[in-house]
């Protein structure tokens, strides 16, 4: 297994960030009545974000080992938590932070594995 470069990690995280914006659009859509203009707009944004993510993700998995890419995708929990706080004023608990810390530690183990 080759070590992942910092640039690959950044691109991978950008793909994950794009993916997590889909959940933001979904949450905003849930605030509108079904099939209202607001719902349709948010739903359209959600579909557009998923389309962009699909293209970016395909490019990522061309260049990064699949096991590493999917391990890094787990960091979506962090980004989703950040968006929940920034956009929806939700609170983060110590358990949430501990969980993200454990996920981050696991991702670091996968990213720095040198095949030993």
């Amino acid at each position: 297994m080759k070590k992942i470069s910092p640039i690959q990690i950044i691109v991978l995280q950008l793909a994950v960030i794009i993916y997590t914006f889909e959940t933001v659009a979904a949450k905003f859509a849930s605030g509108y009545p079904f099939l209202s203009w607001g719902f349709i707009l948010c739903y359209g944004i959600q579909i557009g974000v998923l389309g962009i993510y699909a293209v970016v993700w395909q490019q990522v998995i061309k260049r990064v080992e699949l096991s590493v890419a999917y391990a890094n995708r787990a960091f979506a929990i962090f980004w989703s938590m950040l968006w929940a706080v920034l956009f929806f004023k939700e609170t983060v608990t110590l358990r949430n932070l501990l969980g993200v810390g454990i996920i981050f530690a696991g991702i670091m183990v996968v990213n720095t594995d040198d095949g030993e």
Side-chain angles (χ1 to χ4, degrees), residues 3 17 27 37 45 104:
K3 196 172 180 182
I17 289 169
K27 177 97 173 176
W37 286 112
I45 291 169
F104 182 72

Side-chain angles (χ1 to χ4, degrees), residues 14-73:
L14 285 174
V16 174
I17 289 169
I18 291 169
Y19 174 70
T20 59
F21 273 118
E22 174 271 335
T23 60
V24 173
K27 177 97 173 176
F28 276 120
S30 72
Y32 293 99
F34 184 64
L35 293 181
S36 67
W37 286 112
F39 176 86
I40 292 169
L41 175 65
C42 290
Y43 191 65
I45 291 169
Q46 185 179 7
I47 291 171
V49 167
L50 285 173
I52 293 167
Y53 164 73
V55 172
V56 172
W57 186 251
Q58 288 172 355
Q59 296 306 307
V60 166
I61 61 176
K62 261 196 221 178
R63 294 166 175 80
V64 177
E65 291 184 24
L66 195 58
S67 61
V68 173
Y70 272 95
N72 279 269
R73 204 168 132 189

Side-chain angles (χ1 to χ4, degrees), residues 92-110:
V92 176
T93 66
L94 182 58
R95 281 184 146 177
N96 296 137
L97 294 174
L98 181 61
V100 167
I102 291 169
I103 290 169
F104 182 72
I107 291 169
M108 292 306 296
V109 168
V110 171

